[in-house]
Structure formats: structure tokens, C-alpha cells
Amino acid sequence: MGREPRPRRETVMELNEVMRTTFAARRFTGEPLSDGVLHEILEHARFAPSGGNRQGNRVIVVRDPDTRTALAKLAQPAAKRYAAQKAAGENPWNSIMPSALPASVFEQTPPPPLRTHPFRTADVVLVFVVDLKVVASTDQYLDRVGVISGASIYPFVWNVLLGARQAGFGGTITTIAVAREPEVQALLGIPEEYAVAALVPLGRPVEQLTKLRRRRVEEIATRERFDGEPFDVED
């Protein structure tokens, strides 16, 4: 059987509106996201940049309910730690400020439903991985957690979410299950040289937010130095 025909788009959101209204959707109506719409989203998202244009990005489209339930279960231990640290006023999973809580507290904390249920309730879960053999990890010798390799996968992930928003669907970048990466790799047949970067549940959101709260430009941008003057413009 051939692939579904791509649906005709009646309206197209303006780019700035898409960027300003793409929110973290975790509750879904249950309306199907067809292969045709998803293929169109990926068709456009694939033009995201990657280091050296090596295109080590891959995405696994997971619809099987049993597999999605398994992913939800793999997310539970890290979700429990996240909730326990947040309740204690800590920054969850922070590499600079380690937790002062004992492991027993993590184990006794229930996993927050919004951290695991979307794997089950979304119409599809996209698992994004990146081939570590082709990324240029220029921060590999620094004494901190590496982040540079993400530049070869997260633009692709975000393009997918922007495309989903324009199509009337939504989701969110989740990384909780990555704490159990070897088990995720085994579940999905992912080679060990591929890092799991994000799991994105996608579906039709119960509500479509149109106003998001973010810091002003002057609060996040400075001139010339980190401690420079706020970047603003005269009226």
C-alpha cells in the first residue's frame, strides 16, 4: 500500500505567531495524528541544521501502545526524583547543585502523572536520537556536562514541534526517560553509539495556548559581555 496523500493545508500560521505560541502540550484529546500529517511535519523539519551538515539525526515513530507503556515505565524513576527534588526546593537533576536527598525519598515519591502519562495518551511518541560518531563535541574536555552535541539534534526536534503547532497538534520535549538510556536503546533496537536526545509525545492538545510567559529580551540579552548593559532599543 502506498503512503497516505498529504492533506491540503487550508490556513498557514505566520512564522512569528508559531514561535510565540508553541507551548508544552501534555494533555491530548485522543484525535488521531495521521501518518500523512506527521510525514509532512518531518518533511519540513528535516531541513534543520546539524554540525558539519553530517545529519546524524534519526527519529523513531512509536505508535504501539505496549511500547509506549514501556517508555512511560522507564520514565518513572527519573520522574520520581524530579518530583522529590522539586518538592524539596532543589533544582531537579542539576549537575552543579547535587541533591541532598537520600535515595529512599526518591523511591517513595509518586511519579507526577504529567511526566509519564503523555507517553500513553498521545497519539504517537517520537524518539529522537543522534549518531555520536558524526558530531563534533568541542566541549568534551571541559569539566562540565557536555551540551554541544545537542546542536546536531535539538534544532530538528524543535522544528518538529513548530510544524506540529502549525498543523494544530502539539507536544513537548521530554528527557526524563533518557536517564535509563540503555534500556530505551534495548527496547527500540537503538545502537549504543546513538544517544537518545528526546522523547516527544504528539497529539491534538486539549487546549491551544496563545499567550506564553517568557522573560523580556532585556532580561536575557546583554551588550558585549555577560554583565553588560541590557540589550534594548529606544522607542
Side-chain angles (χ1 to χ4, degrees):
M1 294 177 62
R3 193 168 59 233
E4 300 176 33
R6 295 175 185 169
R8 295 182 61 182
R9 186 65 48 76
E10 298 298 330
T11 59
V12 176
M13 295 176 66
E14 194 266 340
L15 175 61
N16 287 343
E17 182 183 359
V18 174
M19 290 192 294
R20 294 176 72 101
T21 62
T22 298
F23 64 100
R26 294 186 175 90
R27 298 190 303 125
F28 307 102
T29 65
E31 178 181 337
L33 194 171
S34 71
D35 281 352
V37 172
L38 180 55
H39 189 279
E40 183 176 12
I41 291 170
L42 295 174
E43 168 67 23
H44 296 303
R46 68 189 176 92
F47 287 93
S50 61
N53 196 30
R54 296 185 182 92
Q55 302 178 55
N57 52 314
R58 292 283 301 275
V59 59
I60 304 167
V61 179
V62 181
R63 292 194 184 274
D64 180 74
D66 292 338
T67 304
R68 291 191 287 123
T69 295
L71 290 172
K73 290 180 178 178
L74 288 175
Q76 285 182 353
K80 293 167 73 170
R81 172 171 175 156
Y82 185 98
Q85 288 193 257
K86 189 173 181 180
E90 297 181 347
N91 289 326
W93 282 97
N94 189 270
S95 62
I96 302 298
M97 310 255 324
S99 178
L101 300 175
S104 59
V105 173
F106 301 148
E107 184 58 35
Q108 295 166 8
T109 302
L114 282 181
R115 299 292 171 184
T116 59
H117 283 191
F119 294 116
R120 299 184 177 96
T121 58
D123 191 57
V124 63
V125 175
L126 303 182
V127 181
F128 293 85
V129 301
V130 61
D131 186 355
L132 296 178
K133 299 193 308 298
V134 301
V135 299
S137 303
T138 55
D139 58 352
Q140 61 183 284
Y141 300 124
L142 300 181
D143 187 20
R144 63 160 172 76
V145 170
V147 298
I148 297 301
S149 300
S152 288
I153 184 65
Y154 290 116
F156 176 46
V157 178
W158 190 241
N159 268 5
V160 168
L161 285 169
L162 292 176
R165 172 72 182 107
Q166 179 169 277
F169 293 88
T172 186
I173 297 176
T174 72
T175 56
I176 292 289
V178 180
R180 305 292 287 269
E181 182 180 74
E183 290 159 272
V184 175
Q185 290 171 322
L187 177 67
L188 302 177
I190 301 169
E192 64 179 8
E193 65 268 21
Y194 279 80
V196 181
L199 290 80
V200 176
L202 280 183
R204 181 80 70 179
V206 170
E207 57 184 353
Q208 291 281 12
L209 301 183
T210 57
K211 292 185 178 180
L212 307 180
R213 292 192 299 271
R214 298 291 188 269
R215 294 177 181 174
R216 296 165 53 246
V217 170
E218 293 78 7
E219 296 178 87
I220 63 172
T222 54
R223 295 184 183 273
E224 309 302 337
R225 293 171 49 87
F226 184 87
D227 57 356
E229 293 294 321
F231 181 78
D232 57 8
V233 292
E234 296 181 359
D235 293 337

